[in-house]
Amino acid sequence: MKLIYSDAHRDHAGAKEMRYDQMIPMCESPERMDMIMEALAAAGFKDVVQPAPHSLEVAHQIHSPAFVSFLEKAYPMWEREFGPGGFATAYTFGMRGMNQVPNGSIHSMLSCYTFDVCVPFVKGTWTAIRSAMDVALTGASLMAKGEAAVFSLCRPPGHHASGDLAGGYCYMNNAAIAAQAHLNNGAGRVAILDIDYHHGNGTQTIFYGRKDVFFASLHCRPEEEYPFLLGYATERGEGEGQGYNLNLPMPRGTDYGVWSASLLTAIDAIRALAPSVLIVSLGVDTYEGDPVGGFRLASQDYLDIGRQIAGLELPTQFVMEGGYAMEALGTNVANVIRGFTRDGEI
Amino acid sequence: MKLIYSDAHRDHAGAKEMRYDQMIPMCESPERMDMIMEALAAAGFKDVVQPAPHSLEVAHQIHSPAFVSFLEKAYPMWEREFGPGGFATAYTFGMRGMNQVPNGSIHSMLSCYTFDVCVPFVKGTWTAIRSAMDVALTGASLMAKGEAAVFSLCRPPGHHASGDLAGGYCYMNNAAIAAQAHLNNGAGRVAILDIDYHHGNGTQTIFYGRKDVFFASLHCRPEEEYPFLLGYATERGEGEGQGYNLNLPMPRGTDYGVWSASLLTAIDAIRALAPSVLIVSLGVDTYEGDPVGGFRLASQDYLDIGRQIAGLELPTQFVMEGGYAMEALGTNVANVIRGFTRDGEI
Ligand SMILES: [Zn+2]
Ligand SMILES: [Zn+2]
């Protein structure tokens, strides 16, 4: 399976995030990708393709141009005001009753276009965001040219980002942009299967009123886990999109027995819809040792996850999302790909 | 002039706030009130009245009962989950596209009912909030019994808090609750003059559709200062409240020459409306040495502010808001009261 990857994410690093009464180094680090690439290589997956540069055209079908422009200029504007070396982040937010249109200041843009304190902007952030978009779009292009399955190793991740809100380490929604590219390339319907520990609130929001993209998410329930306000089973889509959103929330402590039953539910729903393309938002923060997660999946379970997804027999694009247990991150990701490909046989 | 004050705010202390890449002790400290009370006493103002306990009835006319209930239970719920000693604060927020109704978890409530990382909850927070409400309501009661002017020394401050959102050190909106009490006591119309350095976004939002409370605010413009998203001159009220909101934003660096011209504009507007009662949201973070502010008012200027407000010859309730320059805070506040009363003569 072709791996689409670039080192261009590397300088998106060095910022901190709030953890109760401290600011700590961000869990979402460049080294995550090193662990993953090393483990994939060790498992025999070495066909690494550099992403091709793309315009923002498809991104603008998913995100508002004003939001994308904000992502590009956030750090330079911040640096002009505060000098080099720090990172831009909001500390106040445009909730209900407040203006949802920013003025020209970086502060008002951060308040309007981010929804939490987990999306810092450093000097290398925009390069990484844009590269992750290219990684996603190059994967979609390769599939349009005949690849049955690809793995887009996007960093930063994307599934918490909506049309005009960044949050939770996510800036542009790589999986959503890939889905749009597949539609643009002629796919009749795309399914996104989000198996990250956290609900993909951004992806859900983007496609909530659409029926051309089916979104299914397995995640920890909003009563117990970030992002706390979306991810209920009752959220089924609206308007044309009614019935095209499937949330399978589970409690903290869920093990693979329960989790895999939800996976089968999602897989059955996807099979019933017969999409042209499957996108997997691949987070492995479901792992029992993940410092951010609270599920109890073991490394071996990821082999089975890959096998189950392969059973759909669909053109499949994996898009990297979360996973923060550095000692097992590479193994867990590689196991999904090993299971999916029967160790590279297909 | 009677000062309404209680020490019950004192245990609302010890939390931190985010300042760029660090968590620092909150600027909004109990010691602020010590500075103010000492300076008032030194200036001859020693008629201190303890607040009487009040029910939440008037608060519920301003804030949703669910929000008030959240304020009360936030810290106890947090402590049950994380143990004693820390403080509860949101790090992710319920922006557009997200659910605006929390589930039973403290996390979802923090995300729905606060709009920034500057409203921490510690063990003593609810006692302080409720006491500040009593301080405001006792002031209104004393005026109903004939006092021409009172000073409600509320802590925490209130003007950033809206009907169901806490933020910016503010939990319940003491000035808004006082205004409602005056109306309940028979006032035909109340004017709130907010002279804190920051826009009183909470107060504006609460009364934006009402004509029984006129809101005028002098503040640093949203292009340059917190809360960044409200406080424009174009915000004049809506529906019945059209014309009953007056914002006078000014750039950073504004000195008393420019600021006092805006004060006269606000005073003229208030005089034209002939309210029964004036409430002054008294912040002195307009001071040139304030660590949070960016205006250039000098300590002497606060004497003149008091005199100008006295010129309205209205029953007047001062309600304490911000001010963080500890070395001058007491003097600046006392100067307003000295100017207003001609050094206690009236
Ligand atoms: Zn995750
Ligand atoms: Zn202030």
Side-chain angles (χ1 to χ4, degrees), chain B residues 213-256:
Chain B
V213 177
F214 175 70
F215 179 67
S217 179
L218 281 65
H219 54 269
C220 188
R221 63 195 193 112
E223 289 84 354
E224 295 186 281
E225 194 49 85
Y226 182 95
F228 303 116
L229 300 173
L230 282 179
Y232 296 97
T234 49
E235 294 159 4
R236 302 299 312 273
E238 66 184 7
E240 271 202 352
Q242 183 69 44
Y244 293 89
N245 193 87
L246 175 64
N247 282 329
L248 297 161
M250 288 165 277
R252 282 182 81 91
T254 290
D255 62 16
Y256 192 62

Short mmCIF file of all heavy atoms in Angstrom, two decimals, chain B residues 213-256:
data_model
loop_
_atom_site.label_atom_id
_atom_site.label_comp_id
_atom_site.label_asym_id
_atom_site.label_seq_id
_atom_site.Cartn_x
_atom_site.Cartn_y
_atom_site.Cartn_z
N VAL B 213 -33.73 49.36 30.70
CA VAL B 213 -32.37 49.58 31.19
C VAL B 213 -31.51 50.10 30.03
O VAL B 213 -31.33 49.41 29.02
CB VAL B 213 -31.76 48.29 31.77
CG1 VAL B 213 -30.32 48.54 32.22
CG2 VAL B 213 -32.61 47.77 32.94
N PHE B 214 -31.03 51.32 30.19
CA PHE B 214 -30.13 51.92 29.20
C PHE B 214 -28.71 51.57 29.59
O PHE B 214 -28.31 51.71 30.74
CB PHE B 214 -30.33 53.44 29.20
CG PHE B 214 -29.37 54.19 28.30
CD1 PHE B 214 -29.46 54.08 26.92
CD2 PHE B 214 -28.39 55.01 28.84
CE1 PHE B 214 -28.59 54.77 26.08
CE2 PHE B 214 -27.51 55.70 28.02
CZ PHE B 214 -27.61 55.58 26.63
N PHE B 215 -27.93 51.10 28.61
CA PHE B 215 -26.55 50.72 28.90
C PHE B 215 -25.60 51.59 28.09
O PHE B 215 -25.69 51.65 26.86
CB PHE B 215 -26.32 49.24 28.55
CG PHE B 215 -24.91 48.77 28.79
CD1 PHE B 215 -24.39 48.70 30.08
CD2 PHE B 215 -24.09 48.39 27.73
CE1 PHE B 215 -23.09 48.27 30.31
CE2 PHE B 215 -22.78 47.95 27.95
CZ PHE B 215 -22.28 47.90 29.24
N ALA B 216 -24.69 52.27 28.79
CA ALA B 216 -23.65 53.06 28.12
C ALA B 216 -22.30 52.59 28.60
O ALA B 216 -22.08 52.43 29.80
CB ALA B 216 -23.83 54.55 28.44
N SER B 217 -21.38 52.36 27.66
CA SER B 217 -20.08 51.81 28.02
C SER B 217 -18.95 52.58 27.36
O SER B 217 -18.96 52.82 26.16
CB SER B 217 -19.99 50.33 27.61
OG SER B 217 -18.73 49.79 27.94
N LEU B 218 -17.97 52.98 28.17
CA LEU B 218 -16.71 53.55 27.67
C LEU B 218 -15.65 52.46 27.80
O LEU B 218 -15.46 51.92 28.89
CB LEU B 218 -16.28 54.74 28.54
CG LEU B 218 -16.94 56.10 28.31
CD1 LEU B 218 -18.40 56.06 28.67
CD2 LEU B 218 -16.20 57.18 29.11
N HIS B 219 -14.96 52.17 26.72
CA HIS B 219 -14.02 51.04 26.78
C HIS B 219 -13.04 51.07 25.64
O HIS B 219 -13.21 51.81 24.66
CB HIS B 219 -14.82 49.74 26.75
CG HIS B 219 -15.76 49.65 25.58
ND1 HIS B 219 -17.07 50.08 25.66
CD2 HIS B 219 -15.58 49.23 24.32
CE1 HIS B 219 -17.65 49.91 24.48
NE2 HIS B 219 -16.78 49.41 23.64
N CYS B 220 -12.04 50.22 25.74
CA CYS B 220 -11.08 50.06 24.63
C CYS B 220 -11.75 49.29 23.50
O CYS B 220 -12.47 48.32 23.73
CB CYS B 220 -9.83 49.33 25.12
SG CYS B 220 -8.51 49.29 23.88
N ARG B 221 -11.51 49.72 22.29
CA ARG B 221 -12.25 49.18 21.14
C ARG B 221 -11.93 47.70 20.90
O ARG B 221 -10.83 47.22 21.16
CB ARG B 221 -11.93 50.02 19.90
CG ARG B 221 -10.48 49.98 19.46
CD ARG B 221 -10.16 51.10 18.47
NE ARG B 221 -8.85 50.83 17.84
CZ ARG B 221 -8.69 50.52 16.55
NH1 ARG B 221 -9.72 50.52 15.74
NH2 ARG B 221 -7.50 50.25 16.06
N PRO B 222 -12.93 46.97 20.39
CA PRO B 222 -12.79 45.51 20.23
C PRO B 222 -11.71 45.10 19.24
O PRO B 222 -11.26 43.97 19.27
CB PRO B 222 -14.18 45.06 19.75
CG PRO B 222 -14.90 46.29 19.32
CD PRO B 222 -14.29 47.44 20.06
N GLU B 223 -11.27 46.02 18.40
CA GLU B 223 -10.16 45.68 17.50
C GLU B 223 -8.86 45.48 18.29
O GLU B 223 -7.92 44.86 17.79
CB GLU B 223 -9.93 46.81 16.48
CG GLU B 223 -11.00 46.94 15.42
CD GLU B 223 -12.20 47.75 15.89
OE1 GLU B 223 -12.27 48.13 17.08
OE2 GLU B 223 -13.09 48.01 15.05
N GLU B 224 -8.82 46.01 19.50
CA GLU B 224 -7.56 45.96 20.23
C GLU B 224 -7.66 45.27 21.58
O GLU B 224 -6.63 45.02 22.21
CB GLU B 224 -7.04 47.39 20.49
CG GLU B 224 -6.67 48.14 19.22
CD GLU B 224 -6.04 49.49 19.56
OE1 GLU B 224 -6.80 50.43 19.88
OE2 GLU B 224 -4.82 49.58 19.50
N GLU B 225 -8.84 45.03 22.05
CA GLU B 225 -8.93 44.60 23.45
C GLU B 225 -10.06 43.60 23.68
O GLU B 225 -11.07 43.60 22.98
CB GLU B 225 -9.10 45.86 24.32
CG GLU B 225 -8.88 45.65 25.80
CD GLU B 225 -7.59 44.91 26.13
OE1 GLU B 225 -6.52 45.55 26.22
OE2 GLU B 225 -7.67 43.67 26.30
N TYR B 226 -9.81 42.77 24.65
CA TYR B 226 -10.82 41.86 25.21
C TYR B 226 -12.11 42.62 25.46
O TYR B 226 -12.04 43.72 25.97
CB TYR B 226 -10.27 41.31 26.52
CG TYR B 226 -11.14 40.32 27.23
CD1 TYR B 226 -10.97 38.96 27.05
CD2 TYR B 226 -12.15 40.76 28.09
CE1 TYR B 226 -11.76 38.06 27.72
CE2 TYR B 226 -12.95 39.85 28.75
CZ TYR B 226 -12.75 38.50 28.56
OH TYR B 226 -13.55 37.60 29.21
N PRO B 227 -13.28 42.07 25.18
CA PRO B 227 -13.53 40.70 24.70
C PRO B 227 -13.50 40.56 23.17
O PRO B 227 -13.92 39.52 22.67
CB PRO B 227 -14.92 40.38 25.26
CG PRO B 227 -15.60 41.71 25.34
CD PRO B 227 -14.53 42.73 25.60
N PHE B 228 -13.02 41.54 22.45
CA PHE B 228 -12.70 41.45 21.02
C PHE B 228 -13.90 41.35 20.09
O PHE B 228 -13.80 41.73 18.93
CB PHE B 228 -11.76 40.27 20.72
CG PHE B 228 -10.47 40.29 21.49
CD1 PHE B 228 -10.17 39.29 22.41
CD2 PHE B 228 -9.56 41.34 21.33
CE1 PHE B 228 -8.97 39.32 23.12
CE2 PHE B 228 -8.37 41.36 22.05
CZ PHE B 228 -8.08 40.35 22.95
N LEU B 229 -15.02 40.83 20.56
CA LEU B 229 -16.11 40.52 19.63
C LEU B 229 -17.36 41.35 19.86
O LEU B 229 -18.33 41.23 19.12
CB LEU B 229 -16.46 39.03 19.72
CG LEU B 229 -15.31 38.09 19.37
CD1 LEU B 229 -15.70 36.65 19.65
CD2 LEU B 229 -14.89 38.25 17.92
N LEU B 230 -17.39 42.17 20.88
CA LEU B 230 -18.52 43.06 21.12
C LEU B 230 -17.96 44.39 21.61
O LEU B 230 -16.82 44.46 22.06
CB LEU B 230 -19.49 42.49 22.18
CG LEU B 230 -20.46 41.39 21.76
CD1 LEU B 230 -21.31 40.95 22.95
CD2 LEU B 230 -21.37 41.82 20.61
N GLY B 231 -18.80 45.43 21.50
CA GLY B 231 -18.39 46.74 21.98
C GLY B 231 -18.25 47.78 20.88
O GLY B 231 -17.76 48.88 21.13
N TYR B 232 -18.74 47.46 19.69
CA TYR B 232 -18.69 48.41 18.58
C TYR B 232 -19.72 49.53 18.78
O TYR B 232 -20.80 49.31 19.36
CB TYR B 232 -18.99 47.71 17.26
CG TYR B 232 -17.99 46.66 16.87
CD1 TYR B 232 -18.22 45.32 17.13
CD2 TYR B 232 -16.81 47.01 16.22
CE1 TYR B 232 -17.30 44.34 16.77
CE2 TYR B 232 -15.89 46.04 15.84
CZ TYR B 232 -16.14 44.71 16.12
OH TYR B 232 -15.24 43.75 15.76
N ALA B 233 -19.40 50.68 18.23
CA ALA B 233 -20.32 51.83 18.29
C ALA B 233 -21.62 51.53 17.53
O ALA B 233 -22.66 52.11 17.83
CB ALA B 233 -19.64 53.06 17.70
N THR B 234 -21.55 50.63 16.57
CA THR B 234 -22.75 50.31 15.77
C THR B 234 -23.76 49.46 16.54
O THR B 234 -24.89 49.28 16.07
CB THR B 234 -22.33 49.53 14.51
OG1 THR B 234 -21.45 48.47 14.90
CG2 THR B 234 -21.61 50.45 13.53
N GLU B 235 -23.40 48.95 17.70
CA GLU B 235 -24.32 48.13 18.49
C GLU B 235 -25.21 49.06 19.32
O GLU B 235 -24.80 49.57 20.36
CB GLU B 235 -23.53 47.16 19.38
CG GLU B 235 -22.77 46.12 18.56
CD GLU B 235 -21.61 45.46 19.29
OE1 GLU B 235 -21.43 45.75 20.50
OE2 GLU B 235 -20.88 44.68 18.68
N ARG B 236 -26.46 49.27 18.88
CA ARG B 236 -27.34 50.26 19.49
C ARG B 236 -28.54 49.63 20.20
O ARG B 236 -29.43 50.34 20.64
CB ARG B 236 -27.83 51.24 18.42
CG ARG B 236 -26.73 52.00 17.67
CD ARG B 236 -25.88 52.86 18.61
NE ARG B 236 -26.70 53.66 19.52
CZ ARG B 236 -27.18 54.87 19.24
NH1 ARG B 236 -26.89 55.45 18.09
NH2 ARG B 236 -27.92 55.53 20.11
N GLY B 237 -28.59 48.31 20.25
CA GLY B 237 -29.77 47.64 20.81
C GLY B 237 -30.61 47.07 19.69
O GLY B 237 -30.39 47.37 18.51
N GLU B 238 -31.59 46.24 20.07
CA GLU B 238 -32.44 45.65 19.03
C GLU B 238 -33.88 45.56 19.54
O GLU B 238 -34.13 45.55 20.75
CB GLU B 238 -31.93 44.26 18.63
CG GLU B 238 -32.04 43.24 19.76
CD GLU B 238 -31.45 41.89 19.40
OE1 GLU B 238 -30.83 41.76 18.33
OE2 GLU B 238 -31.61 40.97 20.24
N GLY B 239 -34.83 45.51 18.62
CA GLY B 239 -36.24 45.41 18.99
C GLY B 239 -36.63 46.60 19.85
O GLY B 239 -36.28 47.74 19.55
N GLU B 240 -37.32 46.31 20.94
CA GLU B 240 -37.69 47.36 21.91
C GLU B 240 -36.47 48.10 22.45
O GLU B 240 -36.57 49.26 22.85
CB GLU B 240 -38.39 46.72 23.12
CG GLU B 240 -39.87 46.58 23.00
CD GLU B 240 -40.51 46.45 24.39
OE1 GLU B 240 -39.78 46.33 25.40
OE2 GLU B 240 -41.76 46.48 24.45
N GLY B 241 -35.35 47.41 22.48
CA GLY B 241 -34.13 48.00 23.05
C GLY B 241 -33.36 48.88 22.08
O GLY B 241 -32.32 49.44 22.45
N GLN B 242 -33.84 49.00 20.85
CA GLN B 242 -33.15 49.82 19.84
C GLN B 242 -32.96 51.24 20.38
O GLN B 242 -33.91 51.89 20.80
CB GLN B 242 -33.99 49.84 18.55
CG GLN B 242 -33.36 50.60 17.39
CD GLN B 242 -32.12 49.89 16.83
OE1 GLN B 242 -32.13 48.68 16.64
NE2 GLN B 242 -31.04 50.65 16.61
N GLY B 243 -31.72 51.68 20.38
CA GLY B 243 -31.41 53.02 20.87
C GLY B 243 -31.06 53.07 22.35
O GLY B 243 -30.67 54.13 22.86
N TYR B 244 -31.18 51.94 23.04
CA TYR B 244 -30.91 51.92 24.48
C TYR B 244 -29.57 51.26 24.83
O TYR B 244 -29.36 50.81 25.95
CB TYR B 244 -32.07 51.25 25.23
CG TYR B 244 -33.33 52.09 25.14
CD1 TYR B 244 -34.22 51.92 24.09
CD2 TYR B 244 -33.59 53.09 26.08
CE1 TYR B 244 -35.36 52.72 23.98
CE2 TYR B 244 -34.72 53.89 25.98
CZ TYR B 244 -35.59 53.70 24.93
OH TYR B 244 -36.70 54.50 24.83
N ASN B 245 -28.70 51.21 23.83
CA ASN B 245 -27.33 50.72 24.07
C ASN B 245 -26.38 51.71 23.41
O ASN B 245 -26.51 52.02 22.23
CB ASN B 245 -27.17 49.32 23.45
CG ASN B 245 -25.91 48.62 23.92
OD1 ASN B 245 -25.91 47.95 24.95
ND2 ASN B 245 -24.81 48.77 23.18
N LEU B 246 -25.43 52.20 24.19
CA LEU B 246 -24.50 53.20 23.67
C LEU B 246 -23.07 52.76 23.95
O LEU B 246 -22.64 52.74 25.11
CB LEU B 246 -24.76 54.56 24.32
CG LEU B 246 -23.78 55.68 23.97
CD1 LEU B 246 -23.84 56.03 22.48
CD2 LEU B 246 -24.05 56.92 24.83
N ASN B 247 -22.34 52.40 22.90
CA ASN B 247 -20.93 52.04 23.06
C ASN B 247 -20.04 53.18 22.60
O ASN B 247 -20.23 53.74 21.53
CB ASN B 247 -20.60 50.79 22.23
CG ASN B 247 -21.08 49.52 22.92
OD1 ASN B 247 -21.12 49.46 24.15
ND2 ASN B 247 -21.47 48.53 22.14
N LEU B 248 -19.06 53.50 23.44
CA LEU B 248 -18.09 54.53 23.12
C LEU B 248 -16.68 53.94 23.16
O LEU B 248 -15.94 54.12 24.13
CB LEU B 248 -18.25 55.70 24.11
CG LEU B 248 -19.62 56.39 24.03
CD1 LEU B 248 -19.93 57.18 25.28
CD2 LEU B 248 -19.70 57.28 22.80
N PRO B 249 -16.33 53.19 22.11
CA PRO B 249 -15.01 52.54 22.08
C PRO B 249 -13.91 53.54 21.77
O PRO B 249 -14.12 54.48 21.00
CB PRO B 249 -15.15 51.52 20.95
CG PRO B 249 -16.22 52.06 20.06
CD PRO B 249 -17.15 52.88 20.93
N MET B 250 -12.78 53.34 22.39
CA MET B 250 -11.62 54.23 22.18
C MET B 250 -10.37 53.39 21.99
O MET B 250 -10.28 52.27 22.49
CB MET B 250 -11.45 55.15 23.40
CG MET B 250 -12.53 56.22 23.49
SD MET B 250 -12.61 57.01 25.12
CE MET B 250 -13.61 55.82 26.04
N PRO B 251 -9.37 53.91 21.26
CA PRO B 251 -8.16 53.13 21.01
C PRO B 251 -7.28 52.99 22.25
O PRO B 251 -7.37 53.81 23.18
CB PRO B 251 -7.44 53.92 19.92
CG PRO B 251 -7.98 55.30 20.00
CD PRO B 251 -9.38 55.19 20.55
N ARG B 252 -6.42 51.99 22.25
CA ARG B 252 -5.39 51.88 23.29
C ARG B 252 -4.61 53.18 23.34
O ARG B 252 -4.42 53.86 22.33
CB ARG B 252 -4.42 50.74 22.96
CG ARG B 252 -4.94 49.37 23.29
CD ARG B 252 -3.89 48.30 22.99
NE ARG B 252 -2.92 48.18 24.07
CZ ARG B 252 -3.06 47.35 25.10
NH1 ARG B 252 -4.11 46.55 25.20
NH2 ARG B 252 -2.14 47.30 26.05
N GLY B 253 -4.15 53.55 24.52
CA GLY B 253 -3.35 54.76 24.65
C GLY B 253 -4.19 56.01 24.91
O GLY B 253 -3.64 57.10 25.10
N THR B 254 -5.51 55.85 24.92
CA THR B 254 -6.39 57.00 25.16
C THR B 254 -6.08 57.66 26.51
O THR B 254 -5.94 56.97 27.52
CB THR B 254 -7.87 56.54 25.11
OG1 THR B 254 -8.19 56.19 23.76
CG2 THR B 254 -8.81 57.63 25.59
N ASP B 255 -6.00 59.00 26.50
CA ASP B 255 -5.76 59.72 27.77
C ASP B 255 -7.06 60.37 28.25
O ASP B 255 -8.11 60.25 27.61
CB ASP B 255 -4.64 60.74 27.61
CG ASP B 255 -4.99 61.81 26.59
OD1 ASP B 255 -6.20 61.96 26.22
OD2 ASP B 255 -4.06 62.51 26.14
N TYR B 256 -6.98 61.09 29.36
CA TYR B 256 -8.22 61.60 29.96
C TYR B 256 -8.88 62.68 29.12
O TYR B 256 -10.10 62.87 29.21
CB TYR B 256 -7.94 62.12 31.38
CG TYR B 256 -9.24 62.38 32.13
CD1 TYR B 256 -10.12 61.33 32.38
CD2 TYR B 256 -9.59 63.66 32.57
CE1 TYR B 256 -11.32 61.55 33.04
CE2 TYR B 256 -10.79 63.89 33.23
CZ TYR B 256 -11.65 62.83 33.46
OH TYR B 256 -12.85 63.03 34.11
#
